Amino acid sequence: MAARAPEERRPSRPPQTALEQRRARRFAPPEEQRPTRQPQTTEEQAPKDRSSTAVILGWFGLLVGGLSALSPVLHIMPLPFALLSPVVMLVLGNRALVMAGRDLEDIHQERLPPEVKGRVTHARVLGVLNIVGGLLSCTLMGAVVWFFARAFR
C-alpha cells in the first residue's frame, strides 16, 4: 500500500471516529503518519460554565429530599430509597457547591463573564439547602433509630 504512487490512491472520506483515525494513521505512508496537532481556538480554551449543571443538581437533590419526606404519607417511594435520599442530597449538594465555587473563581479571574454570577449564587444556595436538608434528615433518622432501639430493648 505504501508503494503506491499518490495519484493511484483512491480519495476517501475523512476518518470520523477515533478508531478510524488511528487506523488511518497506522496504515498511512510514513510522511502522513505523524499526528498533526491543530491549534486550539480561544473558545476551546475558555472554561465551561458549570453553574447551569449545578443548578439542575441542586433542584434534583431537593426534589429527591421532598419526595422522601412525603413518602411515609403518600407512599411515593419504597423505604430503602427514602432512607438513601439524605445521602443523595448530601452528595448532590456538595457537587453543586463545588461546581459553583469553581465558576465563582473563574468569574473573579475574569475567565467567565460576570453575568453568570446570578446563576452561580443560585447554585450555591441550592447546594447549601441540600447539605442542610441532608444533615437534618440524617439526624432525624438517627433519632428515630435511637428511639426505637431504646423502646424495644
Side-chain angles (χ1 to χ4, degrees), residues 25 33-38:
R25 277 196 307 262
Q33 281 184 349
R34 289 185 215 105
T36 58
R37 186 175 181 117
Q38 298 178 359

Side-chain angles (χ1 to χ4, degrees), residues 139-153:
T139 305
L140 180 64
M141 280 195 289
V144 168
V145 168
W146 178 80
F147 175 77
F148 281 112
R150 295 202 30 99
F152 292 112
R153 192 187 281 181

Side-chain angles (χ1 to χ4, degrees), residues 18-57:
L19 180 63
E20 289 177 348
Q21 290 173 357
R22 274 184 271 153
R23 284 183 181 162
R25 277 196 307 262
R26 186 181 313 150
F27 296 115
E31 65 273 3
E32 295 178 11
Q33 281 184 349
R34 289 185 215 105
T36 58
R37 186 175 181 117
Q38 298 178 359
Q40 293 181 336
T41 62
T42 56
E43 292 175 4
E44 292 174 331
Q45 293 173 351
K48 302 285 186 199
D49 175 17
R50 303 181 256 329
S51 58
S52 299
T53 307
V55 168
I56 292 170
L57 290 176

